[in-house]
Amino acid sequence: MTADAEFLKGFKKTVRLTLFTAGAIIVLMGVLGILSTVFPAISPAFVMGWGLIVSAANYFVPYITLRAAPLRPKWFFVLAVIDAVFGAIFLVCLFLARFELVLFKLPALVGLWMVFHGCARLYMAYLNRKAHVACWWITLTVCGNAVFAAFTMMRNPSDSFSLFSWIPLVTMGIFIVNEGRKLFGK
């Protein structure tokens, strides 16, 4: 944005808080995933499913509340839909895994979610650059990290996650927190 006057009161704070919360949710999903390798009672599909449902709500609520903003972040809606769809898929996979009817391996599904998330971040970077948001390129680093994390997750040949498979998810969450801090922190 060329001037701070273009922002409604509380716009930057709302977007920053949303990105902080989104990053914290993803870090929490990664930490719970790491704990699932130690405590088998924690299901990775359950963690990913509910985590993404909460993340979808985290993006959707500010999208509705910022409806009067002239520069309403359309990418909130895109990220909310991606997280909601994949959250539902993970929860359905949790149910279908009991009957061994799952088409995808769980790490491949996490990688696929990260690819879609990276594409949404690319769209976000484009819109932020078009709106003259300072440091819009930080969103490109989150996009690159998501693609790298997706590659790491999809290389897992087994049906289960190793301890190191969850680390890209944690780093992705940290990148998103940094994105909120740098993009809308001033």
Side-chain angles (χ1 to χ4, degrees), residues 44-77:
F46 182 80
V47 167
M48 289 298 297
W50 283 110
L52 290 176
I53 296 294
V54 170
S55 180
N58 176 55
Y59 285 120
F60 193 65
V61 169
Y63 177 75
I64 292 172
T65 60
L66 293 173
R67 68 181 170 272
L71 298 168
R72 184 180 188 184
K74 296 174 187 136
W75 39 268
F76 271 179
F77 183 73

Side-chain angles (χ1 to χ4, degrees), residues 44 59 76 87 98 130-131 135 138 183-184:
Y59 285 120
F76 271 179
R98 298 183 192 276
K130 188 175 163 184
C135 300
I138 292 175
L183 264 129
F184 297 102

Side-chain angles (χ1 to χ4, degrees), residues 10-161:
F11 178 84
K12 283 185 173 184
K13 183 179 177 182
T14 301
V15 174
R16 183 177 60 240
L17 184 63
T18 301
L19 291 174
F20 284 172
T21 308
I25 290 169
I26 292 175
V27 167
L28 182 64
M29 288 186 328
V31 168
L32 287 174
I34 289 169
L35 291 176
S36 73
T37 59
V38 179
F39 302 109
I42 302 173
S43 167
F46 182 80
V47 167
M48 289 298 297
W50 283 110
L52 290 176
I53 296 294
V54 170
S55 180
N58 176 55
Y59 285 120
F60 193 65
V61 169
Y63 177 75
I64 292 172
T65 60
L66 293 173
R67 68 181 170 272
L71 298 168
R72 184 180 188 184
K74 296 174 187 136
W75 39 268
F76 271 179
F77 183 73
V78 172
L79 288 168
V81 168
I82 289 170
D83 286 352
V85 167
F86 275 94
I89 289 171
F90 278 109
L91 292 176
V92 167
C93 283
L94 179 67
F95 175 72
L96 291 178
R98 298 183 192 276
F99 303 109
E100 298 184 10
L101 296 173
V102 180
L103 297 174
F104 291 102
K105 293 180 179 180
L106 202 54
L109 196 56
V110 173
L112 190 61
W113 166 72
M114 288 180 174
V115 167
F116 277 94
H117 194 84
C119 291
R121 292 286 171 181
L122 187 62
Y123 175 65
M124 178 181 166
Y126 168 73
L127 289 179
N128 283 342
R129 184 180 188 297
K130 188 175 163 184
H132 306 290
V133 173
C135 300
W136 60 268
W137 53 270
I138 292 175
T139 305
L140 283 179
T141 63
V142 176
C143 173
N145 182 18
V147 170
F148 176 73
F151 175 74
T152 305
M153 281 289 197
M154 290 180 156
R155 286 203 55 206
N156 188 355
S158 71
D159 203 14
S160 62
F161 291 97

